[in-house]
Amino acid sequence: MEPALRSEYLKLKKMLASAEKQDAQVRYEIGRVVAKVRGAGPRYGSNAVGQLERALGLDENTLRRYERIANTWTSARFSELMKRTNLYGRPLSWSHLDVLAEVADAKKREVLLDEALREGLSVRALASRVRGPTPALVEDTNESGLNRLLLSAVRVMTARAETVVESVSIWEKSIFERLQKENSPELSESLQNAKGVYTQLRSAVDVILGRIDEGLAAADATRPR
């Protein structure tokens, strides 16, 4: 790299690192406040988090992801993390952190975090290590392109479900065994929120199972006798 080009590159590198760090810090602070408000009961008024959503113009899922990241790393740990850089001289982006926050096992999460920094992993590459690789399309020339894409989509759907099943096993050991020993208004509210989300998930799973049964029935009806 010519000296003049390297000079411009170093300026851009510094700007990118600063921008990513500032962006992540702002979102982390939002998540920290949301967690604080959600855990404060009636102190901030009725449906306080909903009021924040409307006032900030951010949807519920976005705020929940911010909150999840704030709950994954303490403020001090997050500040330390933002000082670390990858081989390109930049800290992990918010999207990297969002993927890492999916990992319930703290030791596994730290290993993946170190790999992401050391190897300069893209968000997609990191997500592949967290969630498993996206299955390749079936290379069968007797199948139409549509069928190959459909088969790939079904395999991805199944892989995602397997990740959830694996996470539940981890959560059961790390969270649920301690519930009977802990009791607080904040914990009760968090459990109520979790119950609401998982009730929705159960309904969604019931729909998926119904669709799978329909697909199996359709496949059986077209199978040669």
Side-chain angles (χ1 to χ4, degrees):
M1 187 179 288
E2 293 292 329
L5 180 57
R6 182 169 182 78
S7 176
E8 297 299 332
Y9 152 71
L10 290 174
K11 291 177 185 177
L12 293 175
K13 178 181 176 181
K14 185 176 181 180
M15 288 171 59
L16 284 170
S18 176
E20 288 180 346
K21 181 177 180 180
Q22 184 176 12
D23 175 71
Q25 190 66 53
V26 168
R27 297 189 191 197
Y28 179 86
E29 289 304 320
I30 292 174
R32 191 179 63 80
V33 171
V34 171
K36 176 182 177 182
V37 169
R38 195 187 301 280
R43 177 183 175 186
Y44 292 97
S46 176
N47 191 26
V49 174
Q51 292 184 58
L52 283 178
E53 291 171 12
R54 292 188 293 274
L56 294 171
L58 298 172
D59 61 42
E60 179 181 359
N61 287 336
T62 297
L63 286 186
R64 281 191 179 277
R65 282 172 23 224
Y66 289 7
E67 183 181 6
R68 180 178 65 181
I69 290 177
N71 287 332
T72 299
W73 291 282
T74 65
S75 181
R77 180 73 181 102
F78 188 82
S79 295
E80 291 176 2
L81 178 55
M82 286 295 97
K83 293 177 183 177
R84 299 177 62 184
T85 56
N86 60 19
L87 72 171
Y88 303 112
R90 302 200 299 269
L92 292 178
S93 71
W94 185 258
S95 295
H96 284 95
L97 298 175
D98 194 23
V99 172
L100 286 168
E102 296 179 15
V103 183
D105 188 307
K107 291 183 179 179
K108 181 179 179 181
R109 184 171 60 243
E110 285 300 312
V111 170
L112 288 164
L113 190 156
D114 288 340
E115 290 177 357
L117 287 168
R118 183 175 61 253
E119 301 175 33
L121 296 178
S122 67
V123 176
R124 178 176 294 184
L126 177 60
S128 178
R129 296 192 186 186
V130 170
R131 304 164 185 162
T134 300
L137 294 179
V138 177
E139 298 298 332
D140 188 342
T141 56
N142 294 321
E143 292 184 328
S144 68
L146 174 60
N147 284 342
R148 285 187 288 155
L149 289 171
L150 185 58
L151 180 56
S152 177
V154 170
R155 287 181 171 177
V156 171
M157 177 182 72
T158 304
R160 298 292 183 267
E162 289 173 344
T163 300
V164 173
V165 171
E166 180 182 354
S167 296
V168 167
S169 177
I170 295 172
W171 297 333
E172 186 172 9
K173 295 177 181 178
S174 62
I175 299 175
F176 299 124
E177 291 181 356
R178 299 170 53 191
L179 287 180
Q180 294 181 348
K181 303 176 183 178
E182 303 286 345
N183 185 25
S184 69
E186 294 83 3
L187 180 58
S188 295
E189 183 178 1
S190 293
L191 287 174
Q192 285 294 338
N193 291 331
K195 182 177 180 180
V197 172
Y198 279 93
T199 298
Q200 295 177 24
L201 177 60
R202 181 170 60 188
S203 298
V205 169
D206 287 342
V207 172
I208 293 295
L209 288 174
R211 294 297 190 182
I212 289 174
D213 287 340
E214 291 174 4
L216 290 172
D220 186 61
T222 58
R223 187 177 297 118
R225 300 295 182 183

